[in-house]
Amino acid sequence: MTLGQKIRELREHNQMLQRELASKLEVGDGYLSKIERDQKVIKREHLKTLSTIFKCPLKELEALWVATKVYDIIKYEETGLEALRVAEEQIKYNETYAKI
Amino acid sequence: MTLGQKIRELREHNQMLQRELASKLEVGDGYLSKIERDQKVIKREHLKTLSTIFKCPLKELEALWVATKVYDIIKYEETGLEALRVAEEQIKYNETYAKI
DNA sequence: TATATTTGACCAAATTAAGTCAAGTCAATA
DNA sequence: TATTGACTTGACTTAATTTGGTCAAATATA
């Protein structure tokens, strides 16, 4: 599940048109179309609005948003999965030693 | 293990000074210092040079390089680990359906 | 045909990349 | 203790890339 898929799912589940949702977010509907197709990433602040409109946990949307950013980096990388492992190791290491 | 740590390890293992390695890479030694401390990310093209100088597999350096990019995104994210899971799911999904 | 969505080309503004340089720190030593 | 050599840091720069869109035309879809 990508963020775009999630947004589309929420919108359709609420029988809303792109035009309607786009106007709530104050963007053009062409832009929203791209967002739902993961051709663009929505502005992070918009997640709050989505969370309110669709009564969906903000954390869930945020995790998808961050995942999109991560995926954009690794999608064409041969070493993508290996890199994920290393990044996970790094975050766990830093959590352990509270270096942040 | 971060990319910076790896580079320092390789350099010290070969008893090379920052100044020396920096000149091989044609950058300043202040910059290399930051790279080894993960305050800056080395240019990707430099990985080939490092791989040659230290006879270290390029793939390994590349995985660390990509991991650094990923880690930079998630390091301050509460949902970092969750996002890694989602990104992994996405890459596996796409590998399965060969959508790339 | 009308309505909804997608796409491509384009854009300004903001951010990041890829460094430099000089001053500062730190340890060993003459 | 003054010096030296290796490294670190902070402030800065310039160019390239990304962000966050718009709009009109093309394309489904009913």
Side-chain angles (χ1 to χ4, degrees):
Chain A
M1 167 78 60
T2 67
L3 180 59
Q5 284 165 4
K6 180 72 186 179
I7 292 173
R8 170 158 295 181
E9 188 181 286
L10 288 167
R11 177 177 63 81
E12 291 182 337
H13 196 262
N14 287 266
Q15 289 131 143
M16 203 180 281
L17 298 176
Q18 280 187 352
R19 183 164 27 79
E20 300 177 72
L21 180 54
S23 102
K24 282 179 197 286
L25 295 173
E26 295 174 285
V27 297
D29 47 347
Y31 189 48
L32 181 56
S33 168
K34 285 173 191 172
I35 285 166
E36 290 188 356
R37 304 176 72 74
D38 295 300
Q39 287 166 17
K40 297 274 182 173
V41 183
I42 201 169
K43 238 209 298 190
R44 190 163 190 163
E45 293 85 79
H46 285 325
L47 297 181
K48 294 192 196 74
T49 313
L50 291 174
S51 161
T52 304
I53 294 175
F54 297 124
K55 288 159 184 52
C56 169
L58 181 57
K59 277 267 177 301
E60 186 187 340
L61 297 177
E62 283 181 334
L64 283 168
W65 189 90
V66 177
T68 297
K69 297 281 181 182
V70 170
Y71 182 66
D72 277 348
I73 289 180
I74 61 174
K75 64 184 167 191
Y76 299 132
E77 294 292 342
E78 279 182 60
T79 58
L81 283 175
E82 170 66 8
L84 287 186
R85 304 262 172 277
V86 177
E88 179 171 350
E89 189 195 291
Q90 291 174 1
I91 204 168
K92 283 184 172 164
Y93 179 87
N94 259 3
E95 271 171 10
T96 305
Y97 296 97
K99 277 197 175 177
I100 304 177
Chain B
M1 168 78 60
T2 67
L3 180 59
Q5 285 164 4
K6 180 72 186 178
I7 292 172
R8 170 157 297 180
E9 187 180 286
L10 288 167
R11 178 177 62 81
E12 292 183 337
H13 197 262
N14 286 266
Q15 289 133 139
M16 203 179 280
L17 299 177
Q18 280 186 352
R19 184 162 28 79
E20 300 177 73
L21 180 55
S23 102
K24 282 180 197 284
L25 295 172
E26 295 175 286
V27 299
D29 46 346
Y31 189 48
L32 181 57
S33 169
K34 285 175 191 170
I35 285 166
E36 291 188 355
R37 304 177 70 76
D38 296 300
Q39 286 165 16
K40 297 275 181 171
V41 183
I42 202 170
K43 243 211 291 188
R44 190 161 191 164
E45 289 88 82
H46 285 325
L47 297 182
K48 294 192 197 71
T49 312
L50 291 175
S51 162
T52 304
I53 294 176
F54 298 123
K55 287 159 184 51
C56 169
L58 182 58
K59 277 265 178 302
E60 187 187 340
L61 297 176
E62 284 182 334
L64 284 168
W65 188 89
V66 176
T68 297
K69 296 282 181 181
V70 170
Y71 183 65
D72 277 348
I73 289 181
I74 61 175
K75 64 184 168 192
Y76 300 134
E77 294 293 341
E78 279 182 62
T79 58
L81 283 175
E82 171 67 10
L84 287 186
R85 304 262 171 277
V86 177
E88 178 170 351
E89 190 195 291
Q90 290 174 1
I91 205 168
K92 284 185 172 163
Y93 179 87
N94 259 4
E95 271 171 12
T96 306
Y97 296 97
K99 276 198 174 175
I100 302 177

PDB file of all heavy atoms in Angstrom, chain A residues 29-53:
ATOM      1  N   ASP A  29      -7.026  19.816  -9.136  1.00  0.00           N
ATOM      2  CA  ASP A  29      -7.344  18.393  -9.178  1.00  0.00           C
ATOM      3  C   ASP A  29      -6.328  17.602 -10.009  1.00  0.00           C
ATOM      4  O   ASP A  29      -6.133  16.420  -9.779  1.00  0.00           O
ATOM      5  CB  ASP A  29      -8.784  18.134  -9.637  1.00  0.00           C
ATOM      6  CG  ASP A  29      -9.161  18.935 -10.862  1.00  0.00           C
ATOM      7  OD1 ASP A  29      -8.418  19.872 -11.215  1.00  0.00           O
ATOM      8  OD2 ASP A  29     -10.197  18.640 -11.476  1.00  0.00           O
ATOM      9  N   GLY A  30      -5.673  18.266 -10.917  1.00  0.00           N
ATOM     10  CA  GLY A  30      -4.607  17.594 -11.666  1.00  0.00           C
ATOM     11  C   GLY A  30      -3.494  17.161 -10.737  1.00  0.00           C
ATOM     12  O   GLY A  30      -2.927  16.071 -10.867  1.00  0.00           O
ATOM     13  N   TYR A  31      -3.236  18.008  -9.777  1.00  0.00           N
ATOM     14  CA  TYR A  31      -2.198  17.696  -8.802  1.00  0.00           C
ATOM     15  C   TYR A  31      -2.600  16.515  -7.928  1.00  0.00           C
ATOM     16  O   TYR A  31      -1.812  15.612  -7.669  1.00  0.00           O
ATOM     17  CB  TYR A  31      -1.927  18.931  -7.953  1.00  0.00           C
ATOM     18  CG  TYR A  31      -0.735  18.818  -7.045  1.00  0.00           C
ATOM     19  CD1 TYR A  31       0.483  18.357  -7.515  1.00  0.00           C
ATOM     20  CD2 TYR A  31      -0.832  19.181  -5.709  1.00  0.00           C
ATOM     21  CE1 TYR A  31       1.584  18.256  -6.684  1.00  0.00           C
ATOM     22  CE2 TYR A  31       0.267  19.090  -4.869  1.00  0.00           C
ATOM     23  CZ  TYR A  31       1.461  18.629  -5.358  1.00  0.00           C
ATOM     24  OH  TYR A  31       2.550  18.521  -4.530  1.00  0.00           O
ATOM     25  N   LEU A  32      -3.844  16.533  -7.482  1.00  0.00           N
ATOM     26  CA  LEU A  32      -4.311  15.425  -6.641  1.00  0.00           C
ATOM     27  C   LEU A  32      -4.257  14.107  -7.407  1.00  0.00           C
ATOM     28  O   LEU A  32      -3.874  13.069  -6.857  1.00  0.00           O
ATOM     29  CB  LEU A  32      -5.732  15.685  -6.142  1.00  0.00           C
ATOM     30  CG  LEU A  32      -6.293  14.600  -5.231  1.00  0.00           C
ATOM     31  CD1 LEU A  32      -5.407  14.351  -4.021  1.00  0.00           C
ATOM     32  CD2 LEU A  32      -7.713  14.947  -4.791  1.00  0.00           C
ATOM     33  N   SER A  33      -4.596  14.160  -8.683  1.00  0.00           N
ATOM     34  CA  SER A  33      -4.520  12.949  -9.498  1.00  0.00           C
ATOM     35  C   SER A  33      -3.113  12.362  -9.458  1.00  0.00           C
ATOM     36  O   SER A  33      -2.932  11.156  -9.281  1.00  0.00           O
ATOM     37  CB  SER A  33      -4.907  13.281 -10.936  1.00  0.00           C
ATOM     38  OG  SER A  33      -4.574  12.203 -11.784  1.00  0.00           O
ATOM     39  N   LYS A  34      -2.136  13.254  -9.593  1.00  0.00           N
ATOM     40  CA  LYS A  34      -0.753  12.779  -9.560  1.00  0.00           C
ATOM     41  C   LYS A  34      -0.380  12.219  -8.207  1.00  0.00           C
ATOM     42  O   LYS A  34       0.360  11.242  -8.109  1.00  0.00           O
ATOM     43  CB  LYS A  34       0.189  13.915  -9.929  1.00  0.00           C
ATOM     44  CG  LYS A  34       0.167  14.212 -11.405  1.00  0.00           C
ATOM     45  CD  LYS A  34       0.976  15.439 -11.728  1.00  0.00           C
ATOM     46  CE  LYS A  34       0.695  15.850 -13.165  1.00  0.00           C
ATOM     47  NZ  LYS A  34       1.287  17.132 -13.500  1.00  0.00           N
ATOM     48  N   ILE A  35      -0.891  12.823  -7.175  1.00  0.00           N
ATOM     49  CA  ILE A  35      -0.597  12.344  -5.829  1.00  0.00           C
ATOM     50  C   ILE A  35      -1.145  10.931  -5.638  1.00  0.00           C
ATOM     51  O   ILE A  35      -0.466  10.042  -5.139  1.00  0.00           O
ATOM     52  CB  ILE A  35      -1.173  13.313  -4.775  1.00  0.00           C
ATOM     53  CG1 ILE A  35      -0.302  14.569  -4.702  1.00  0.00           C
ATOM     54  CG2 ILE A  35      -1.286  12.643  -3.412  1.00  0.00           C
ATOM     55  CD1 ILE A  35      -0.923  15.717  -3.964  1.00  0.00           C
ATOM     56  N   GLU A  36      -2.372  10.731  -6.088  1.00  0.00           N
ATOM     57  CA  GLU A  36      -2.975   9.411  -5.910  1.00  0.00           C
ATOM     58  C   GLU A  36      -2.242   8.344  -6.736  1.00  0.00           C
ATOM     59  O   GLU A  36      -2.276   7.171  -6.404  1.00  0.00           O
ATOM     60  CB  GLU A  36      -4.457   9.453  -6.297  1.00  0.00           C
ATOM     61  CG  GLU A  36      -5.288  10.259  -5.300  1.00  0.00           C
ATOM     62  CD  GLU A  36      -6.792  10.157  -5.568  1.00  0.00           C
ATOM     63  OE1 GLU A  36      -7.191   9.531  -6.574  1.00  0.00           O
ATOM     64  OE2 GLU A  36      -7.568  10.693  -4.751  1.00  0.00           O
ATOM     65  N   ARG A  37      -1.600   8.777  -7.797  1.00  0.00           N
ATOM     66  CA  ARG A  37      -0.854   7.834  -8.617  1.00  0.00           C
ATOM     67  C   ARG A  37       0.628   7.789  -8.242  1.00  0.00           C
ATOM     68  O   ARG A  37       1.441   7.227  -8.970  1.00  0.00           O
ATOM     69  CB  ARG A  37      -1.031   8.171 -10.096  1.00  0.00           C
ATOM     70  CG  ARG A  37      -2.507   8.206 -10.500  1.00  0.00           C
ATOM     71  CD  ARG A  37      -2.684   8.630 -11.929  1.00  0.00           C
ATOM     72  NE  ARG A  37      -2.258   7.564 -12.837  1.00  0.00           N
ATOM     73  CZ  ARG A  37      -2.940   6.450 -13.057  1.00  0.00           C
ATOM     74  NH1 ARG A  37      -4.097   6.252 -12.442  1.00  0.00           N
ATOM     75  NH2 ARG A  37      -2.489   5.551 -13.876  1.00  0.00           N
ATOM     76  N   ASP A  38       0.944   8.422  -7.138  1.00  0.00           N
ATOM     77  CA  ASP A  38       2.326   8.452  -6.619  1.00  0.00           C
ATOM     78  C   ASP A  38       3.328   9.060  -7.590  1.00  0.00           C
ATOM     79  O   ASP A  38       4.493   8.684  -7.613  1.00  0.00           O
ATOM     80  CB  ASP A  38       2.774   7.038  -6.201  1.00  0.00           C
ATOM     81  CG  ASP A  38       1.959   6.519  -5.029  1.00  0.00           C
ATOM     82  OD1 ASP A  38       1.968   7.152  -3.967  1.00  0.00           O
ATOM     83  OD2 ASP A  38       1.269   5.488  -5.197  1.00  0.00           O
ATOM     84  N   GLN A  39       2.838   9.989  -8.390  1.00  0.00           N
ATOM     85  CA  GLN A  39       3.765  10.701  -9.276  1.00  0.00           C
ATOM     86  C   GLN A  39       4.295  11.946  -8.581  1.00  0.00           C
ATOM     87  O   GLN A  39       5.309  12.513  -8.977  1.00  0.00           O
ATOM     88  CB  GLN A  39       3.065  11.082 -10.584  1.00  0.00           C
ATOM     89  CG  GLN A  39       2.830   9.880 -11.487  1.00  0.00           C
ATOM     90  CD  GLN A  39       1.849  10.172 -12.607  1.00  0.00           C
ATOM     91  OE1 GLN A  39       1.562  11.322 -12.916  1.00  0.00           O
ATOM     92  NE2 GLN A  39       1.326   9.120 -13.209  1.00  0.00           N
ATOM     93  N   LYS A  40       3.569  12.392  -7.564  1.00  0.00           N
ATOM     94  CA  LYS A  40       4.014  13.497  -6.716  1.00  0.00           C
ATOM     95  C   LYS A  40       3.748  13.090  -5.280  1.00  0.00           C
ATOM     96  O   LYS A  40       2.884  12.250  -5.024  1.00  0.00           O
ATOM     97  CB  LYS A  40       3.221  14.777  -7.036  1.00  0.00           C
ATOM     98  CG  LYS A  40       3.412  15.299  -8.440  1.00  0.00           C
ATOM     99  CD  LYS A  40       4.609  16.203  -8.552  1.00  0.00           C
ATOM    100  CE  LYS A  40       4.736  16.741  -9.969  1.00  0.00           C
ATOM    101  NZ  LYS A  40       5.793  17.760 -10.057  1.00  0.00           N
ATOM    102  N   VAL A  41       4.458  13.723  -4.377  1.00  0.00           N
ATOM    103  CA  VAL A  41       4.215  13.453  -2.962  1.00  0.00           C
ATOM    104  C   VAL A  41       3.478  14.652  -2.372  1.00  0.00           C
ATOM    105  O   VAL A  41       3.841  15.797  -2.628  1.00  0.00           O
ATOM    106  CB  VAL A  41       5.539  13.234  -2.201  1.00  0.00           C
ATOM    107  CG1 VAL A  41       5.267  12.880  -0.757  1.00  0.00           C
ATOM    108  CG2 VAL A  41       6.345  12.141  -2.877  1.00  0.00           C
ATOM    109  N   ILE A  42       2.469  14.354  -1.607  1.00  0.00           N
ATOM    110  CA  ILE A  42       1.681  15.428  -1.001  1.00  0.00           C
ATOM    111  C   ILE A  42       2.513  16.158   0.043  1.00  0.00           C
ATOM    112  O   ILE A  42       3.444  15.593   0.612  1.00  0.00           O
ATOM    113  CB  ILE A  42       0.409  14.830  -0.362  1.00  0.00           C
ATOM    114  CG1 ILE A  42      -0.667  15.891  -0.180  1.00  0.00           C
ATOM    115  CG2 ILE A  42       0.727  14.164   0.967  1.00  0.00           C
ATOM    116  CD1 ILE A  42      -2.011  15.305   0.195  1.00  0.00           C
ATOM    117  N   LYS A  43       2.211  17.432   0.252  1.00  0.00           N
ATOM    118  CA  LYS A  43       2.906  18.190   1.296  1.00  0.00           C
ATOM    119  C   LYS A  43       2.550  17.576   2.641  1.00  0.00           C
ATOM    120  O   LYS A  43       1.415  17.186   2.888  1.00  0.00           O
ATOM    121  CB  LYS A  43       2.439  19.653   1.280  1.00  0.00           C
ATOM    122  CG  LYS A  43       3.573  20.630   1.080  1.00  0.00           C
ATOM    123  CD  LYS A  43       3.334  21.972   1.717  1.00  0.00           C
ATOM    124  CE  LYS A  43       2.134  22.719   1.172  1.00  0.00           C
ATOM    125  NZ  LYS A  43       2.093  24.114   1.675  1.00  0.00           N
ATOM    126  N   ARG A  44       3.538  17.514   3.492  1.00  0.00           N
ATOM    127  CA  ARG A  44       3.335  16.839   4.773  1.00  0.00           C
ATOM    128  C   ARG A  44       2.198  17.449   5.592  1.00  0.00           C
ATOM    129  O   ARG A  44       1.434  16.738   6.245  1.00  0.00           O
ATOM    130  CB  ARG A  44       4.628  16.871   5.576  1.00  0.00           C
ATOM    131  CG  ARG A  44       4.549  15.991   6.786  1.00  0.00           C
ATOM    132  CD  ARG A  44       5.902  15.699   7.331  1.00  0.00           C
ATOM    133  NE  ARG A  44       5.795  14.661   8.343  1.00  0.00           N
ATOM    134  CZ  ARG A  44       6.817  13.948   8.780  1.00  0.00           C
ATOM    135  NH1 ARG A  44       8.007  14.163   8.282  1.00  0.00           N
ATOM    136  NH2 ARG A  44       6.653  13.025   9.695  1.00  0.00           N
ATOM    137  N   GLU A  45       2.082  18.766   5.542  1.00  0.00           N
ATOM    138  CA  GLU A  45       1.034  19.435   6.329  1.00  0.00           C
ATOM    139  C   GLU A  45      -0.360  18.985   5.904  1.00  0.00           C
ATOM    140  O   GLU A  45      -1.293  19.006   6.698  1.00  0.00           O
ATOM    141  CB  GLU A  45       1.115  20.962   6.207  1.00  0.00           C
ATOM    142  CG  GLU A  45       2.357  21.602   6.823  1.00  0.00           C
ATOM    143  CD  GLU A  45       3.522  21.598   5.863  1.00  0.00           C
ATOM    144  OE1 GLU A  45       3.561  22.447   4.973  1.00  0.00           O
ATOM    145  OE2 GLU A  45       4.379  20.698   5.980  1.00  0.00           O
ATOM    146  N   HIS A  46      -0.483  18.597   4.643  1.00  0.00           N
ATOM    147  CA  HIS A  46      -1.788  18.150   4.159  1.00  0.00           C
ATOM    148  C   HIS A  46      -2.247  16.879   4.859  1.00  0.00           C
ATOM    149  O   HIS A  46      -3.436  16.562   4.863  1.00  0.00           O
ATOM    150  CB  HIS A  46      -1.741  17.915   2.656  1.00  0.00           C
ATOM    151  CG  HIS A  46      -1.742  19.160   1.840  1.00  0.00           C
ATOM    152  ND1 HIS A  46      -2.449  20.299   2.208  1.00  0.00           N
ATOM    153  CD2 HIS A  46      -1.148  19.478   0.669  1.00  0.00           C
ATOM    154  CE1 HIS A  46      -2.281  21.239   1.281  1.00  0.00           C
ATOM    155  NE2 HIS A  46      -1.478  20.767   0.350  1.00  0.00           N
ATOM    156  N   LEU A  47      -1.305  16.130   5.429  1.00  0.00           N
ATOM    157  CA  LEU A  47      -1.682  14.880   6.092  1.00  0.00           C
ATOM    158  C   LEU A  47      -2.645  15.143   7.242  1.00  0.00           C
ATOM    159  O   LEU A  47      -3.565  14.375   7.480  1.00  0.00           O
ATOM    160  CB  LEU A  47      -0.441  14.150   6.610  1.00  0.00           C
ATOM    161  CG  LEU A  47       0.565  13.689   5.560  1.00  0.00           C
ATOM    162  CD1 LEU A  47       1.725  12.963   6.216  1.00  0.00           C
ATOM    163  CD2 LEU A  47      -0.105  12.787   4.523  1.00  0.00           C
ATOM    164  N   LYS A  48      -2.428  16.242   7.949  1.00  0.00           N
ATOM    165  CA  LYS A  48      -3.320  16.583   9.071  1.00  0.00           C
ATOM    166  C   LYS A  48      -4.734  16.769   8.567  1.00  0.00           C
ATOM    167  O   LYS A  48      -5.692  16.270   9.141  1.00  0.00           O
ATOM    168  CB  LYS A  48      -2.839  17.876   9.760  1.00  0.00           C
ATOM    169  CG  LYS A  48      -1.499  17.751  10.455  1.00  0.00           C
ATOM    170  CD  LYS A  48      -1.258  18.977  11.356  1.00  0.00           C
ATOM    171  CE  LYS A  48       0.217  19.090  11.745  1.00  0.00           C
ATOM    172  NZ  LYS A  48       1.098  19.547  10.646  1.00  0.00           N
ATOM    173  N   THR A  49      -4.835  17.511   7.455  1.00  0.00           N
ATOM    174  CA  THR A  49      -6.146  17.748   6.864  1.00  0.00           C
ATOM    175  C   THR A  49      -6.804  16.428   6.481  1.00  0.00           C
ATOM    176  O   THR A  49      -7.979  16.187   6.780  1.00  0.00           O
ATOM    177  CB  THR A  49      -5.989  18.628   5.610  1.00  0.00           C
ATOM    178  OG1 THR A  49      -5.138  19.729   5.931  1.00  0.00           O
ATOM    179  CG2 THR A  49      -7.331  19.142   5.132  1.00  0.00           C
ATOM    180  N   LEU A  50      -6.049  15.556   5.830  1.00  0.00           N
ATOM    181  CA  LEU A  50      -6.592  14.255   5.430  1.00  0.00           C
ATOM    182  C   LEU A  50      -7.045  13.460   6.649  1.00  0.00           C
ATOM    183  O   LEU A  50      -8.110  12.843   6.646  1.00  0.00           O
ATOM    184  CB  LEU A  50      -5.533  13.462   4.650  1.00  0.00           C
ATOM    185  CG  LEU A  50      -5.178  14.007   3.276  1.00  0.00           C
ATOM    186  CD1 LEU A  50      -4.024  13.218   2.674  1.00  0.00           C
ATOM    187  CD2 LEU A  50      -6.391  13.963   2.353  1.00  0.00           C
ATOM    188  N   SER A  51      -6.209  13.495   7.671  1.00  0.00           N
ATOM    189  CA  SER A  51      -6.530  12.758   8.883  1.00  0.00           C
ATOM    190  C   SER A  51      -7.861  13.236   9.483  1.00  0.00           C
ATOM    191  O   SER A  51      -8.679  12.441   9.938  1.00  0.00           O
ATOM    192  CB  SER A  51      -5.392  12.936   9.889  1.00  0.00           C
ATOM    193  OG  SER A  51      -5.807  12.623  11.191  1.00  0.00           O
ATOM    194  N   THR A  52      -8.060  14.543   9.450  1.00  0.00           N
ATOM    195  CA  THR A  52      -9.304  15.117   9.983  1.00  0.00           C
ATOM    196  C   THR A  52     -10.497  14.766   9.099  1.00  0.00           C
ATOM    197  O   THR A  52     -11.520  14.278   9.583  1.00  0.00           O
ATOM    198  CB  THR A  52      -9.171  16.648  10.071  1.00  0.00           C
ATOM    199  OG1 THR A  52      -8.025  16.965  10.859  1.00  0.00           O
ATOM    200  CG2 THR A  52     -10.413  17.264  10.689  1.00  0.00           C
ATOM    201  N   ILE A  53     -10.343  15.002   7.810  1.00  0.00           N
ATOM    202  CA  ILE A  53     -11.448  14.757   6.884  1.00  0.00           C
ATOM    203  C   ILE A  53     -11.915  13.303   6.953  1.00  0.00           C
ATOM    204  O   ILE A  53     -13.101  13.019   7.010  1.00  0.00           O
ATOM    205  CB  ILE A  53     -11.028  15.073   5.432  1.00  0.00           C
ATOM    206  CG1 ILE A  53     -10.756  16.563   5.256  1.00  0.00           C
ATOM    207  CG2 ILE A  53     -12.112  14.631   4.450  1.00  0.00           C
ATOM    208  CD1 ILE A  53     -10.219  16.920   3.874  1.00  0.00           C
TER     209      ILE A  53
END
